[in-house]
Amino acid sequence: MTNSDGATIPTTRTDLVEWVAQIAALARPDTIHWVTGSAEERQMLIDVMLEAGTIEQLNPELRPDSYVARSNESDVARVESRTFICSENERDAGPTNNWADPNEMRSTLRGLFTESMRGRTMYVIPFLMGPAGSPVTRAGVEITDSPYVVMSMGTMTRMGRHALDVIESGADWVKAVHSVGAPLAEGAKDVAWPCNSVKYITHFPETREIWSFGSAYGGNALLGKKAFALRIASVMARDEGWLAEHMMLIKVTSPEGHVKHIAAAFPSACGKTNFAMLQPTIPGWTVETIGDDIVWMWVDDDGRLRGINPETGFFGVAPGTSDQSNPVAMQTMVGNTVFTNVAVTDDNDVWWEGMTKEKPAHLIDWHGKDWTPESENPAAHPNSRFTVSIAQCPTASPDWNNPDGVTIDAIIFGGRRRTTMPLVVESRNWQHGVYLGATMASERTAAGEGTVGELTRDPFAMAPFTGYHVGDHWAHWLSIGERLAAGGHAPHIFHVNWFRRGDDGRFLWPGFGDNIRVVDWIVKRLGGEVGANPSPIGNLPLRDDLNVDGLSFHGDDLTELLTVDPAVISGDALSAQSVLEVAGKRAPRALWDENAETLRLCATRLS
Ligand code: O2Y
Ligand code: MN
């Protein structure tokens, strides 16, 4: 077999060559291109996409080597309703995933992929999730007929020859097949964003396979991200004894020079990327970014939890990102960035809602139409994105590329709660921390689907991403805790809520860079430097231990942030039973025990 450039296929792995030949025989592309990851290849992809109208170049003087893509209007986000876990046994997918029979799904996919790449190039993308040499780094190969996907995978993963070398040396690899599902008839003109109204994002956990059809957008199509690094990797992690989680990872250094690493899971719209790029307001602190979305963690030979970011880029939400909310993200995307579904200014730069206080007088919106501040709809799609390498992030820690990863000292769960949850609370122990993760909840914002303000339980922020039964996921966390306890080095687990509001609706906590004050308390807790106030949901800061120098609070706001009402916590614990009930018999008994303990402690306070 030869490459599109006439060169011989660069691998001796017959399993890989045969699989590529099989997919080609099914999808019938015009040509096959094995992706090397070279600079020349990137330019070739850009030229192909400029010619097809998939991307347009932005003003090179304002934003060098940067492009804007406008997707089809029906292809703008992950589609959870079309995402399936095709485990052999339905019970293994659990109650929170869409399950489909693997044989039936294979037959459906065979029909959909038949000749689906006619008239197109089929790209073969070898990629690594994680730096080569890490104990949890894994390889994959994505086949796709979308140059946009190839270019994005080049930013988000370690793609190309280096990954193929790892596969060549004998590594197992995950099979990921993607087609936009828009074959091109001979001589037909292509559209800028080919896709199909029929969409399937399917996962076969036992065979470690992913098949995605019909969408070229984000998590549906960049299969290294949610499909591999969370859904398939969570299954691998369960089987092999590690964790694949929807978390950001930072390195924090205190004014005294103490270094800690913190992993944190938040549901969407809670500022996870902002936290990953936090600019501390307390002098002397530094925060370095290791990852903003996914962490793979394992127990090392010393019994400590270590973690890596398996990705190499950010696929961040643009709206709301500004020099005020996230200056680091703004500095990261100064060039070499692909924007998708943002608006374009008259000087050919990007704009989105929340970027500036003043709206520009005229824009080209994400539909490619003229837009003025009087227009009814937003100029940028609410799920518009920037895709950019971590290497460009001014706060990137060199450890983002370290195969040994970093020691995880603390784990944070969080949610957006107007009431109920305090600013920060430390779990009593690992088991209680797992309970806080399993029952974590967030209120819906206008950006998401559903009724604004409605409370949604999103265990570990993994509801759409755990590739197996949610109850088994909790049990797996408990078993990791047992291994960590044996070494005596389990990270402390915390829960934070930056979004508590007063009766008049105002936020009680300033958030953003001031969240370092919470980190400061967490680090002091880790070092045993401060005490705590025990409560039914865990250990609360003593008022004088939270550094609020320079902040001013209305009336009792600070007290309200640092206290809990046992009657309200009791009501929340009763409501949290619903999520334990969803997991049914597979909900670990230990989590029901923690729920009962919370209720008992509330009752004691109330009596
Ligand atoms: O809509 C999409 O395809 C993107 S979803 C996404 C992207 C980056 C990080 N996280 C997410 C998410 O849904 O959690
Ligand atoms: Mn995410």
Side-chain angles (χ1 to χ4, degrees):
M1 203 190 286
T2 51
N3 204 5
S4 60
D5 58 7
T8 309
I9 295 309
T11 179
T12 58
R13 284 284 295 254
T14 48
D15 55 343
L16 175 54
V17 173
E18 278 166 22
W19 175 70
V20 170
Q22 260 172 35
I23 304 297
L26 177 69
R28 299 262 162 203
D30 277 11
T31 46
I32 300 176
H33 178 90
W34 287 68
V35 171
T36 63
S38 70
E40 297 75 38
E41 181 181 73
R42 183 173 182 276
Q43 191 54 52
M44 177 275 288
L45 293 165
I46 290 169
D47 293 343
V48 164
M49 286 192 283
L50 287 171
E51 170 72 23
T54 309
I55 57 172
E56 285 168 19
Q57 180 153 21
L58 293 164
N59 186 335
E61 281 171 24
L62 300 175
R63 219 166 281 268
D65 197 22
S66 296
Y67 304 87
V68 61
R70 292 189 191 96
S71 78
N72 182 288
E73 311 211 343
S74 67
D75 194 21
V76 291
R78 288 190 297 104
V79 277
E80 286 175 22
S81 60
R82 306 302 305 156
T83 301
F84 298 89
I85 301 296
C86 308
S87 48
E88 275 157 24
N89 190 330
E90 182 171 1
R91 272 176 310 166
D92 291 338
T96 53
N97 283 309
N98 300 316
W99 178 80
D101 177 272
N103 293 327
E104 282 173 24
M105 185 57 86
R106 280 188 196 284
S107 152
T108 304
L109 292 168
R110 209 170 303 120
L112 290 169
F113 277 84
T114 298
E115 305 205 6
S116 73
M117 297 186 188
R118 276 258 190 235
R120 300 194 180 279
T121 297
M122 178 176 115
Y123 299 92
V124 181
I125 313 172
F127 65 97
L128 293 184
M129 299 312 295
S134 158
V136 291
T137 288
R138 297 289 181 270
V141 180
E142 176 165 353
I143 286 180
T144 181
D145 52 6
S146 161
Y148 170 88
V149 167
V150 183
M151 184 144 152
S152 305
M153 285 289 285
T155 304
M156 299 303 295
T157 73
R158 293 161 176 87
M159 171 184 94
R161 194 168 296 282
H162 175 59
L164 194 58
D165 288 346
V166 171
I167 293 172
E168 191 67 14
S169 71
D172 287 341
W173 49 280
V174 165
K175 295 173 176 156
V177 191
H178 169 253
S179 173
V180 295
L184 262 183
E186 179 113 32
K189 188 166 162 24
D190 204 358
V191 292
W193 186 276
C195 63
N196 194 308
S197 57
V198 175
K199 294 182 178 32
Y200 281 91
I201 298 93
T202 68
H203 309 74
F204 296 81
E206 283 88 3
T207 51
R208 317 291 200 228
E209 264 174 279
I210 303 157
W211 288 73
S212 167
F213 181 87
S215 167
Y217 203 89
N220 300 333
L222 315 182
L223 299 182
K225 194 170 180 59
K226 304 297 187 180
F228 180 171
L230 289 176
R231 298 194 192 96
I232 292 293
S234 63
V235 175
M236 293 172 150
R238 175 201 61 190
D239 294 348
E240 298 166 11
W242 49 282
L243 290 165
E245 297 295 324
H246 189 205
M247 289 178 155
M248 62 107 236
L249 180 55
I250 50 176
K251 170 182 176 182
V252 299
T253 308
S254 73
E256 297 75 35
H258 299 139
V259 172
K260 299 285 176 204
H261 296 97
I262 302 178
F266 296 89
S268 51
C270 288
K272 190 157 62 123
T273 299
N274 293 350
F275 193 33
M277 300 177 182
L278 187 148
Q279 288 287 277
T281 55
I282 316 183
W285 278 91
T286 56
V287 172
E288 293 168 66
T289 310
I290 300 178
D292 80 327
D293 196 39
I294 297 175
V295 181
W296 286 0
M297 295 175 281
W298 71 99
V299 182
D300 71 10
D301 293 342
D302 297 331
R304 291 182 194 272
L305 194 65
R306 298 190 75 82
I308 58 161
N309 170 11
E311 300 189 282
T312 54
F314 306 120
F315 184 61
V317 182
T321 309
S322 69
D323 288 332
Q324 283 67 46
S325 69
N326 193 338
V328 175
M330 296 300 282
Q331 289 156 31
T332 304
M333 55 175 113
V334 289
N336 304 304
T337 305
V338 175
F339 298 88
T340 306
N341 288 344
V342 300
V344 174
T345 60
D346 287 349
D347 54 1
N348 204 16
D349 198 6
V350 288
W351 190 86
W352 46 77
E353 277 67 22
M355 184 202 261
T356 53
K357 275 211 183 90
E358 291 281 307
K359 295 177 178 179
H362 175 260
L363 294 165
I364 299 297
D365 71 8
W366 73 275
H367 305 277
K369 302 263 166 54
D370 287 311
W371 182 97
T372 66
E374 287 70 47
S375 300
E376 247 175 56
N377 294 313
H381 188 278
N383 193 36
S384 53
R385 298 275 166 171
F386 56 88
T387 313
V388 66
S389 168
I390 300 180
Q392 288 187 199
C393 176
T395 58
S397 158
D399 278 335
W400 74 264
N401 210 9
N402 180 351
D404 297 330
V406 295
T407 310
I408 310 287
D409 301 290
I411 289 172
I412 299 179
F413 299 118
R416 177 182 279 271
R417 305 286 301 264
R418 286 177 160 258
T419 61
T420 314
M421 295 304 276
L423 177 64
V424 56
V425 61
E426 180 193 40
S427 66
R428 286 184 276 278
N429 50 43
W430 182 274
Q431 176 172 302
H432 179 235
V434 172
Y435 170 76
L436 292 180
T439 57
M440 64 194 260
S442 206
E443 285 146 13
R444 289 182 197 274
T445 63
E449 291 169 53
T451 316
V452 174
E454 192 188 358
L455 191 68
T456 307
R457 301 265 166 203
D458 182 355
F460 290 83
M462 283 285 281
F465 305 125
T466 307
Y468 60 99
H469 196 293
V470 62
D472 292 351
H473 182 229
W474 305 339
H476 184 54
W477 266 82
L478 291 171
S479 76
I480 293 281
E482 279 165 25
R483 285 168 58 200
L484 291 168
H489 301 300
H492 292 212
I493 301 181
F494 299 80
H495 184 284
V496 300
N497 175 22
W498 317 134
F499 302 97
R500 186 87 179 244
R501 300 219 198 191
D503 292 341
D504 57 359
R506 73 182 182 285
F507 286 107
L508 301 187
W509 181 249
F512 300 104
D514 284 313
N515 292 336
I516 193 68
R517 299 167 188 277
V518 172
V519 170
D520 171 271
W521 182 76
I522 287 173
V523 170
K524 287 193 180 118
R525 265 315 271 171
L526 296 176
E529 292 169 50
V530 291
N533 180 14
S535 86
I537 49 160
N539 303 319
L540 298 164
L542 299 165
R543 199 184 152 123
D544 288 347
D545 290 335
L546 188 72
N547 179 344
V548 290
D549 294 354
L551 295 183
S552 57
F553 289 93
H554 270 238
D556 290 337
D557 282 4
L558 183 56
T559 309
E560 201 171 331
L561 279 163
L562 301 182
T563 44
V564 293
D565 178 343
V568 174
I569 293 297
S570 176
D572 194 61
L574 288 173
S575 125
Q577 291 178 352
S578 62
V579 79
L580 302 181
E581 276 157 10
V582 164
K585 287 199 179 107
R586 297 215 199 177
R589 200 187 165 81
L591 299 195
W592 278 107
D593 292 346
E594 290 298 335
N595 182 263
E597 177 65 0
T598 308
L599 289 169
R600 190 189 67 75
L601 290 168
C602 289
T604 313
R605 304 278 168 126
L606 289 167
S607 63

